[in-house]
Amino acid sequence: MSTPTPGSTPTQQLVDAGVSIWLDDLSRARIASGNLADLISSRNVSGVTTNPSIFQAAIGNQNDDSYDAPLAALAEGGADVDAAIFELTTTDVRDAADIFRGVFDATGGVDGRVSIEVSPDLAHDTDATVAEAEKLWAKVDRPNALIKIPATKAGLPAITAVIGAGISVNVTLIFSLERYAEVIDAYLAGLEQAKAAGHDLSGIHSVASFFVSRVDTEVDKRLSAFESEDAEALKSRAGLANARLAYELFEQQFATARAQELISAGANVQRPLWASTGVKDPALPDTLYVTELVAPGTVNTMPEKTLEATFDHGVITGDTVTGAYEDAHLVFSQLAELGVDINDVTQTLEDEGVAKFIASWQDLKKTVAEALATAPETSR
C-alpha cells in the first residue's frame, strides 16, 4: 500500500496511488474560459468523458451563449438536427483533445483522453454502431479521442470490430461481472484482429467503464423491501463490492496466456474505469466511490462536484480494492441468501441506462432543433 505524500493534495495522492482522474463533463464555455486547462494543473485531471446528458446540459444552458454563433451558422447552412449535433459535439471533443494533448504525449497515450459516444439510438444495432464509431473517429481526428460504445449484446461485436480497425474505445454502461468478462473478450478479439491487419497495437487504448453508484441505488431499493437488520447492514455495499470484483476479474483476465501474448506484441491492457461515482444517497460520504476504489491502473471519472469534494476533503489511504476481495464475495453471497438477484439487478440497470441515454439524446435533439429554429432570428 502506497503512503500518501505529506502536504500533497488528495487528488495528487490519488494519482500517486495509480488512479487517473477524468472529469465527467464538458462544455464550450469550460473550454473557452480556460477552466478545463486549469483543472489539469490544479486538480490533476487527465481526461474527460462525455455523454448525451452532458451535451444536452451544455447546449441547453441559458446562461451560456457560446453555442449561439455556431448554431446560427449551422442554421444558415441548412443543417438538420443530427448534423448540427454531430458538428457541435465533435468540435467540443476535438478542442478538448487539443487541450489534453500534452498529457497524452507525456503519458504515452494512456491519459489525455476525451470520450465521445455513439448515438444511444444505435445501442442494439451492431453495424450502425461500427459505422458511427468510425465516422466520429474520423471527424474528431485526434489520436487521444476515445469512442464510447455501450456494452450491450449488440455492442460487443461492435467493440471487437472498432478495436480491430485500430480505433481506441471507451466501453460504457457495464454493470455485471458476466458482461464485463464479455467486454474483455471482445477487446482481446479486437486486438487479435488489429494484429492480423498489421495495426500497431501500442497505439490502441481502451477503458471499460464500470458503473458504481447506480448498483447501490437499485440494490438498496430492493433491500428496503425486506425490513430486516441483515438487509439494512448490506445497504450501500453492493456497488463497491461489484467494482472490486470487477478489478479482481481484470487482474485474472489480463494474466491469461491469450492476453499476455498480445501484451508481449505491444498491446495495452484495457483499464477499468469507475463511472457513476457521484454519491446519490446524502447519508453517505460524498467521496465514497473515490476513496474506496483506489487501485493501480484505474480511472475514476468524476462529476465536478465529486472532484471538488475529493480535492477538499478526500482521505486517500492507498489501495482499497485488492485487499477487499474476500469481503466483496461475502457481500454477494449475503445478497443471494436474502434473495436479491444480482443478475436481475444488473440487467435492469443496463436496460435503464440505455433508456436514459436515449431519453437524453432525444432531449438534446429537441434542444438543438429549437436552437436551430430561433438561431437566425437571434443572430440578426
Side-chain angles (χ1 to χ4, degrees), residues 113-170:
R113 296 280 174 174
V114 184
S115 297
I116 185 169
E117 188 163 353
V118 296
S119 167
D121 289 337
L122 310 177
H124 302 298
D125 186 331
T126 300
D127 293 341
T129 294
V130 173
E132 173 133 337
E134 292 175 339
K135 186 181 175 185
L136 286 168
W137 181 258
K139 180 67 173 178
V140 174
D141 194 25
R142 295 294 185 271
N144 51 330
L146 284 174
I147 307 302
K148 289 179 80 172
I149 298 175
T152 56
K153 276 295 184 183
L156 294 170
I159 292 159
T160 295
V162 174
I163 291 289
I167 296 171
S168 295
V169 172
N170 175 342

Side-chain angles (χ1 to χ4, degrees), residues 18-106:
V19 180
S20 295
I21 300 170
W22 292 2
L23 178 71
D24 191 32
D25 191 54
L26 186 63
S27 68
R28 197 156 293 195
R30 194 184 284 280
I31 293 168
S33 67
N35 169 266
L36 195 59
D38 179 66
L39 291 175
I40 296 173
S41 57
S42 68
R43 297 294 186 268
N44 303 93
V45 170
S46 59
V48 163
T49 51
T50 68
N51 59 44
S53 300
I54 285 170
F55 283 125
Q56 196 279 328
I59 297 171
N61 184 355
Q62 298 298 314
N63 297 318
D64 179 6
D65 62 1
S66 56
Y67 293 98
D68 291 355
L71 277 164
L74 286 163
E76 188 173 349
D80 63 16
V81 172
D82 289 333
I85 291 173
F86 187 78
E87 188 65 36
L88 293 172
T89 58
T90 54
T91 297
D92 283 0
V93 168
R94 184 186 307 112
D95 290 347
D98 287 344
I99 291 171
F100 280 95
R101 185 56 188 261
V103 176
F104 173 81
D105 292 338

Side-chain angles (χ1 to χ4, degrees), residues 107-291:
T107 61
V110 173
D111 282 316
R113 296 280 174 174
V114 184
S115 297
I116 185 169
E117 188 163 353
V118 296
S119 167
D121 289 337
L122 310 177
H124 302 298
D125 186 331
T126 300
D127 293 341
T129 294
V130 173
E132 173 133 337
E134 292 175 339
K135 186 181 175 185
L136 286 168
W137 181 258
K139 180 67 173 178
V140 174
D141 194 25
R142 295 294 185 271
N144 51 330
L146 284 174
I147 307 302
K148 289 179 80 172
I149 298 175
T152 56
K153 276 295 184 183
L156 294 170
I159 292 159
T160 295
V162 174
I163 291 289
I167 296 171
S168 295
V169 172
N170 175 342
V171 183
T172 189
L173 284 179
I174 308 173
F175 295 97
S176 75
L177 296 172
E178 291 75 16
R179 184 54 54 83
Y180 181 37
E182 293 175 321
V183 166
I184 295 173
D185 178 70
Y187 174 62
L188 295 176
L191 289 175
E192 288 162 348
Q193 289 185 12
K195 183 181 178 185
H199 289 291
D200 177 7
L201 298 187
S202 67
I204 302 171
H205 287 256
S206 183
V207 293
S209 297
F210 214 85
F211 282 52
V212 186
S213 67
R214 293 189 197 180
V215 175
D216 274 340
T217 301
E218 181 64 25
V219 170
D220 289 1
K221 182 174 68 176
R222 300 185 185 204
L223 287 171
S224 293
F226 292 101
E227 297 182 349
S228 72
E229 290 185 8
D230 288 344
E232 283 297 314
L234 284 170
K235 284 188 174 181
S236 306
R237 297 180 66 192
L240 292 176
N242 201 37
R244 286 165 174 167
L245 294 180
Y247 193 81
E248 182 184 41
L249 185 61
F250 158 74
E251 289 188 312
Q252 293 167 348
Q253 293 300 308
F254 283 97
T256 62
R258 179 191 185 192
Q260 286 300 308
E261 182 179 345
L262 288 163
I263 291 168
S264 296
N268 302 288
V269 299
Q270 182 186 52
R271 291 193 294 164
L273 178 151
W274 312 130
S276 184
T277 57
V279 173
K280 294 175 173 59
D281 183 347
L284 298 175
D286 55 2
T287 60
L288 179 70
Y289 302 121
V290 177
T291 62

